[in-house]
């Protein structure tokens, strides 16, 4: 894939597939530790779906409140929003916002594949 539209469609499909996998999953799945130190699946999903819950203005205000330290902000938001009902987190994965979301500053095809 070299076209940004194709990449974005593939990313949106992955968000929907993850939502399908997690929809109705037992609580034990949501509380499984992830590869992210100190985060369970629920915190990872909360982090991945921040754009579905926070406008750019709200995000920037939160970032400023955490000294523009994205790691601190991510930990705080993941910890807080990871406590949301799992149905809400699944809904965020399926949201229109996530279907068209792109990380800031670059086209999807310009991103590192080493994340």
């Amino acid at each position: 894939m070299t076209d940004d539209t194709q990449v974005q469609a593939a990313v949106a499909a992955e968000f929907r597939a993850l939502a399908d996998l997690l929809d109705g999953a037992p609580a034990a799945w949501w509380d499984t530790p992830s590869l992210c130190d100190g985060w369970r699946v629920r915190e990872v999903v909360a982090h991945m779906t921040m754009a579905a819950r926070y406008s750019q203005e709200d995000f920037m205000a939160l970032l400023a409140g955490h000294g523009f330290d994205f790691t601190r902000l991510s930990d705080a938001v993941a910890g807080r929003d990871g406590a949301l009902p799992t149905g809400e987190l699944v809904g965020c994965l399926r949201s229109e916002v996530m279907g068209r979301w792109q990380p800031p500053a670059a086209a999807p095809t310009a991103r590192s594949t080493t994340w």
Side-chain angles (χ1 to χ4, degrees):
M1 277 186 242
T2 59
D3 179 89
D4 287 354
T5 304
Q6 291 174 312
V7 172
Q8 191 57 46
V11 170
E14 291 298 323
F15 281 132
R16 288 189 306 274
L18 180 57
D20 291 345
L21 177 69
L22 293 173
D23 196 15
W29 282 23
W30 286 92
D31 292 329
T32 301
S34 77
L35 297 176
C36 301
D37 191 32
W39 287 11
R40 300 165 295 172
V41 169
R42 63 178 55 253
E43 283 87 21
V44 173
V45 174
H47 170 74
M48 290 173 57
T49 59
M50 285 172 48
R53 290 184 307 283
Y54 299 98
S55 68
Q56 184 174 2
E57 295 78 22
D58 291 340
F59 173 82
M60 292 308 295
L62 286 168
L63 187 59
H66 288 86
F68 293 96
D69 184 327
F70 184 72
T71 300
R72 284 183 50 222
L73 168 67
S74 295
D75 284 338
V77 170
R80 181 185 65 224
D81 292 0
L84 291 169
T86 57
E88 186 172 339
L89 292 171
V90 167
C92 288
L93 284 168
R94 288 193 175 117
S95 73
E96 288 184 35
V97 170
M98 296 310 299
R100 64 180 186 275
W101 182 80
Q102 295 181 18
T109 54
R111 310 234 197 293
S112 168
T113 58
T114 60
W115 299 349

